[in-house]
């Protein structure tokens, strides 16, 4: 009987506690006897081993790696009021996995040589089994990745995810974003079409604007005095390696997130209204992922070339410059900032500053209120920034004409004004308004 009781306590670990609270000793004994009756001694012997194995060996928190997964994925305490806007983070992680996997398969058939690169891409499209699918997934996956990441960034701006104590979390995200842009640029060069070649020529030549060391930097990037085979090889190598660096930084980004916990739509710090990530937000993110997959699939299967440039289906020709050189759509806002400054060095500095200025947001913020939902003044200027960013994207693809240049310059001024002046100024104004009545009483 003692052996039987020992087994049942192992298998039904939570049952003794339950019965201790609700029944007296006699009732507990009767219930446990009922559990032990159906088992013979042989069955109990085998089952006791299995029970010990399951409860002691495979218990989540007794194993370091499993407990890590349990603490950071399954039982991670998540604010109960998170909306679907928080699903962009997990969707971005899935996009990264899709890009790495599809990129590895493409690399198996791609040839990084100026005479063979374009042909190898066509070989993948025409001769490799399902090569067209892998290539379209990778090409459109880059656009989907940036759509998700831009949404993720603007969500963070709206809900104040850059504020104390999440400054390092925000800065780590900005580093990932900058590396993404570098990786995407080098990937755009690899098909070695007209827009690939001339886009690489224009963007890398920008470094010549740097006094004294500009030209040596460009020669070093090119591996010669023009874009050649060494350039393509270097870009291919870096394009292959950088996604794994981004994946490592993503782990750091998640570690910083779980250190301070997720923000929430209300912007209040609360350790009370939290629930486990699994199954509640796992299911929510899963639904968001399937919605994203539907949107992604429409482009891959029905409009695979809509987000690309038709000139990139023409082999690279150093002797013929395209009429209008434009980068991929996700670079257009920053390309517009580059073109809005008449001076070459000024344009390069403005484009670089447009990215680096994102690091300053956590430290220039003066607001006491985290969520823009409760900041009516800031909300107006936030949505103006969203419109401004879209206008910059539109201007970036337009030819250099006076009207477009003026609109681009106005949009550029507002972009920098928002981050350098409006964020700290509006915070001070709102603080004065919040404490206005108390100041009068004093």
């Amino acid at each position: 009987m003692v052996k039987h009781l020992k087994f049942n306590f192992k298998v039904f670990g939570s049952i003794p506690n339950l019965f201790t609270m609700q029944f007296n000793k006699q009732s507990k004994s009767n219930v446990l006897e009922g559990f032990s009756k159906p088992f013979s001694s042989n069955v109990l012997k085998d089952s006791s081993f299995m029970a010990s194995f399951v409860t002691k060996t495979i218990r989540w928190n007794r194993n370091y790696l499993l407990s890590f997964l349990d603490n950071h994925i399954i039982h991670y305490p998540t604010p109960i009021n998170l909306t679907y806007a928080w699903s962009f983070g997990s969707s971005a992680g899935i996009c990264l996995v899709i890009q790495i996997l599809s990129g590895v398969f493409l690399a198996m058939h791609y040839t990084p040589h100026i005479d063979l690169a374009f042909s190898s891409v066509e070989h993948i499209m025409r001769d490799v089994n399902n090569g067209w699918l892998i290539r379209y997934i990778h090409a459109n996956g880059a656009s989907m990745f940036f759509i998700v990441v831009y949404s993720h960034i603007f969500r963070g701006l709206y809900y104040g995810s850059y504020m104390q104590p999440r400054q390092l979390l925000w800065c780590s995200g900005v580093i990932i974003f900058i590396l993404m842009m570098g990786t995407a640029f080098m990937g755009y060069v690899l098909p070695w079409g007209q827009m690939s070649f001339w886009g690489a020529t224009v963007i890398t030549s920008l470094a010549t604007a740097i006094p004294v060391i500009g030209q040596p930097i460009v020669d070093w990037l090119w591996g010669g005095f023009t874009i050649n085979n060494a350039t393509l090889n270097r870009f291919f190598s870096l394009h292959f390696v950088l996604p794994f660096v981004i994946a490592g930084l993503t782990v750091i980004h998640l570690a910083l997130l779980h250190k301070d916990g997720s923000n929430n739509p209300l912007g209040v710090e609360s350790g009370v209204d939290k629930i486990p990530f699994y199954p509640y937000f796992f299911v929510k993110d899963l639904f968001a992922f399937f919605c994203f997959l539907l949107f992604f699939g429409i482009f891959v299967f029905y409009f695979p070339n809509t987000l690309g440039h038709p000139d990139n289906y023409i082999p690279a020709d150093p002797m013929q410059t395209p009429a209008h050189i434009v980068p991929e759509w996700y670079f257009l806002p920053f390309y517009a900032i580059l073109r809005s400054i008449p001076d070459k060095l000024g344009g390069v500095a403005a484009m670089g500053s447009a990215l680096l200025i994102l690091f300053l947001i956590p430290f220039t913020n003066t607001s006491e209120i985290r969520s823009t939902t409760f900041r009516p003044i800031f909300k107006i200027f936030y949505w103006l920034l969203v419109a401004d960013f879209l206008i910059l994207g539109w201007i970036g693809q337009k030819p250099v004409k006076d009207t477009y240049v003026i609109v681009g310059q106005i949009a550029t001024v507002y972009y920098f004004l928002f981050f350098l002046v409006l964020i700290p100024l509006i915070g001070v104004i709102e603080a004065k308004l919040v404490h206005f009545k108390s100041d009068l009483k004093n």
Side-chain angles (χ1 to χ4, degrees):
M1 184 63 191
V2 173
K3 186 177 180 181
H4 293 189
L5 285 174
K6 183 180 179 182
F7 163 74
N8 281 294
F9 270 88
K10 284 184 176 181
V11 177
F12 304 97
S14 61
I15 289 175
N17 294 331
L18 180 65
F19 287 125
T20 302
M21 291 186 290
Q22 297 185 1
F23 300 100
N24 56 30
K25 292 182 180 179
Q26 185 62 39
S27 300
K28 180 170 68 175
S29 177
N30 292 339
V31 170
L32 291 173
E33 277 189 54
F35 278 129
S36 64
K37 282 181 181 178
F39 301 104
S40 66
S41 59
N42 292 331
V43 172
L44 281 173
K45 186 176 179 181
D46 296 336
S47 301
S48 180
F49 167 76
M50 288 303 297
S52 176
F53 179 79
V54 169
T55 57
K56 291 185 177 180
T57 310
I58 311 186
R59 186 178 293 169
W60 284 95
N61 289 328
R62 289 180 67 88
N63 180 284
Y64 178 76
L65 290 176
L66 295 181
S67 67
F68 181 83
L69 293 174
D70 180 68
N71 293 332
H72 290 277
I73 296 176
I74 297 174
H75 287 110
Y76 169 64
T78 313
I80 197 169
N81 59 336
L82 294 191
T83 64
Y84 278 105
W86 267 258
S87 296
F88 288 121
S90 60
S91 297
I94 292 168
C95 283
L96 177 61
V97 172
I98 290 172
Q99 289 303 94
I100 289 174
L101 290 177
S102 59
V104 167
F105 282 110
L106 287 175
M108 294 176 184
H109 300 277
Y110 176 75
T111 307
H113 190 282
I114 55 174
D115 295 329
L116 302 171
F118 187 87
S119 299
S120 69
V121 173
E122 290 304 309
H123 165 68
I124 290 169
M125 292 290 292
R126 297 167 186 270
D127 303 326
V128 176
N129 287 336
N130 298 311
W132 63 271
L133 178 61
I134 299 169
R135 200 250 170 145
Y136 281 151
I137 285 174
H138 196 71
N140 288 282
S143 293
M144 297 300 115
F145 201 174
F146 274 94
I147 289 172
V148 169
V149 167
Y150 279 132
S151 302
H152 188 58
I153 291 171
F154 277 105
R155 191 271 300 163
L157 273 174
Y158 187 87
Y159 289 110
S161 297
Y162 51 85
M163 295 185 189
Q164 200 274 336
R166 299 181 180 86
Q167 299 98 319
L168 288 178
L169 174 65
W170 175 266
C171 292
S172 67
V174 175
I175 293 171
I176 292 171
F177 176 56
I178 292 171
L179 285 177
M180 271 181 60
M181 297 191 80
T183 306
F185 165 68
M186 286 182 280
Y188 190 54
V189 175
L190 300 185
W192 210 244
Q194 273 288 75
M195 207 53 64
S196 297
F197 176 84
W198 288 103
T201 303
V202 170
I203 299 301
T204 53
S205 296
L206 294 175
T208 58
I210 303 171
V212 184
I213 60 170
Q215 190 59 50
I217 288 174
V218 173
D219 293 341
W220 174 72
L221 282 172
W222 287 350
F225 299 105
T226 59
I227 287 188
N228 54 56
N229 197 56
T231 316
L232 183 61
N233 271 282
R234 291 174 183 191
F235 278 24
F236 173 68
S237 301
L238 289 171
H239 182 70
F240 192 91
V241 170
L242 279 179
F244 297 99
V245 176
I246 292 172
L249 285 170
T250 303
V251 174
I252 295 173
H253 190 62
L254 281 173
L256 290 169
L257 169 68
H258 290 191
K259 172 181 169 287
D260 297 307
S262 299
N263 188 20
N264 62 82
L266 293 177
V268 294
E269 297 292 340
S270 172
V272 178
D273 290 333
K274 291 189 176 181
I275 54 176
F277 182 83
Y278 180 89
Y280 305 103
F281 292 102
F282 171 79
V283 172
K284 202 167 190 175
D285 284 351
L286 193 64
F287 177 73
F289 167 66
F290 282 118
C291 292
F292 163 77
L293 210 60
L294 178 64
F295 181 71
F296 187 19
I298 289 171
F299 278 94
V300 170
F301 294 108
Y302 294 100
F303 308 101
N305 297 306
T306 302
L307 298 173
H309 199 287
D311 281 4
N312 229 29
Y313 279 96
I314 302 171
D317 184 358
M319 304 302 293
Q320 184 178 0
T321 308
H324 185 43
I325 300 172
V326 290
E328 287 281 73
W329 69 266
Y330 36 80
F331 296 133
L332 290 176
F334 302 97
Y335 187 60
I337 291 172
L338 168 72
R339 294 196 319 183
S340 66
I341 309 296
D343 180 64
K344 186 177 181 180
L345 178 59
V348 173
M351 185 178 69
S353 301
L355 290 169
L356 296 177
I357 203 171
L358 297 175
F359 286 109
L360 296 178
I361 302 173
F363 310 104
T364 57
N365 172 66
T366 56
S367 176
E368 299 174 3
I369 305 168
R370 189 182 300 276
S371 177
T372 305
T373 306
F374 308 110
R375 302 177 64 189
I377 300 174
F378 182 78
K379 186 184 290 186
I380 295 168
F381 292 100
Y382 169 83
W383 288 112
L384 284 174
L385 176 72
V386 174
D388 181 75
F389 196 74
L390 294 173
I391 289 169
L392 283 170
W394 174 67
I395 291 295
Q397 64 180 339
K398 295 296 181 182
V400 184
K401 293 183 178 179
D402 289 343
T403 307
Y404 297 132
V405 169
I406 292 169
V407 173
Q409 288 173 342
I410 295 170
T412 300
V413 168
Y414 181 77
Y415 180 88
F416 285 101
L417 190 72
F418 178 84
F419 292 113
L420 292 175
V421 178
L422 292 177
I423 285 182
L425 180 63
I426 294 171
V428 172
I429 294 171
E430 288 175 344
K432 292 288 184 183
L433 292 173
V434 167
H435 300 295
F436 180 70
K437 287 186 178 180
S438 60
D439 290 343
L440 284 179
K441 289 177 183 179
N442 295 332

